[in-house]
């Protein structure tokens, strides 16, 4: 996936997980320059009767660059403008996960906060104490209120080592086992 992204510049696959969107944008802008440079190198150092002329080399590179620019502009005109900032942001995926979790402070946003568990634990490791405190303060309420997001899939995402209440942990583990048995039985049928 990374190789395909780096060498094709597929905007839809852009993921700022390590370096941020600004890095992706800089690579996207830099790549045509590299093509022109290597076109120049080709014309300077490869001189055989079968060599392409400068018009052909620069014409092909220029055409492909024009197609790339047109594609980028079309893509930017189609997507929601609120996502434009992701192309210039230096925020990494790790920082975004932590920010999204910390920005949600109202209990109505618990479903959004639970998405932290959809990412690798290393992403939210810096805020693990906050995640643990929040999770343990809300578990009992979720079992009483049963909000829409509190379903078997959500319970399966919660790491056991974050649940301090042993009774709630056993309850979650039991429900996970029941879900696995049910899924196994469905697969057998």
């Amino acid at each position: 996936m990374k190789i395909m992204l780096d060498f094709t510049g597929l905007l839809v696959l852009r993921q700022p997980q390590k370096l941020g969107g600004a890095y992706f944008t800089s690579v996207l802008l830099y790549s045509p320059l590299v093509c022109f440079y290597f076109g120049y190198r080709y014309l300077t150092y490869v001189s055989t009767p079968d060599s392409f002329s400068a018009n052909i080399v620069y014409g092909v590179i220029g055409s492909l660059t024009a197609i790339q620019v047109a594609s980028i502009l079309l893509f930017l005109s189609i997507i929601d403008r609120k996502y434009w900032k992701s192309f210039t942001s230096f925020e990494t995926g790790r920082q975004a996960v932590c920010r999204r979790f910390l920005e949600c402070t109202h209990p109505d946003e618990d479903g959004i906060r639970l998405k932290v568990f959809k990412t690798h634990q290393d992403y939210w490791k810096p805020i693990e104490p906050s995640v643990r405190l929040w999770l343990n303060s809300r578990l009992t309420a979720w079992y009483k209120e049963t909000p829409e997001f509190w379903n078997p899939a959500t319970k399966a995402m919660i790491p056991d080592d974050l649940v301090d209440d042993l009774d709630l942990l056993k309850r979650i583990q039991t429900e996970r086992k029941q879900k696995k048995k049910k899924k196994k039985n469905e697969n057998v049928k």
Side-chain angles (χ1 to χ4, degrees), residues 3-157:
I3 292 171
M4 183 171 58
L5 173 68
D6 286 348
F7 293 104
T8 62
L10 290 174
L11 297 169
V12 177
L13 298 177
R14 177 187 48 76
Q15 289 291 327
Q17 301 305 330
K18 299 291 181 191
L19 298 173
Y23 171 77
F24 175 83
T25 302
S26 68
V27 168
L28 207 58
L29 296 173
Y30 175 73
S31 62
L33 298 175
V34 172
C35 291
F36 279 104
Y37 171 73
F38 281 106
Y40 165 77
R41 300 275 299 184
Y42 170 79
L43 293 170
T44 305
Y45 297 105
V46 177
S47 58
T48 65
D50 297 334
S51 299
F52 293 106
S53 70
N55 289 340
I56 292 175
V57 171
Y58 289 131
V60 168
I61 294 171
S63 298
L64 293 174
T65 300
I67 291 169
Q68 180 187 20
V69 169
S71 299
I72 292 169
L73 293 175
L74 177 65
F75 179 77
L76 290 174
S77 70
I78 293 171
I79 67 169
D80 192 342
R81 288 183 185 260
K82 71 180 180 181
Y83 297 114
W84 282 15
K85 66 181 178 200
S86 69
F87 290 94
T88 56
S89 170
F90 288 96
E91 182 179 61
T92 64
R94 197 170 280 179
Q95 292 166 336
V97 167
C98 293
R99 177 185 50 78
R100 281 188 214 117
F101 179 85
L102 295 172
E103 282 179 354
C104 298
T105 55
H106 196 273
D108 289 344
E109 298 173 317
D110 284 347
I112 296 169
R113 280 185 139 186
L114 275 168
K115 290 180 182 178
V116 75
F117 298 122
K118 288 185 176 183
T119 63
H120 193 276
Q121 193 167 358
D122 284 346
Y123 276 50
W124 47 272
K125 197 75 168 163
I127 59 168
E128 185 175 334
S130 298
V131 173
R132 176 186 294 276
L133 181 67
W134 163 77
L135 178 67
N136 286 293
S137 70
R138 300 297 299 147
L139 275 174
T140 306
W142 294 335
Y143 271 108
K144 287 179 184 174
E145 300 164 7
T146 319
E148 186 178 318
F149 61 80
W150 190 239
N151 55 45
T154 303
K155 294 171 190 172
M157 292 187 307

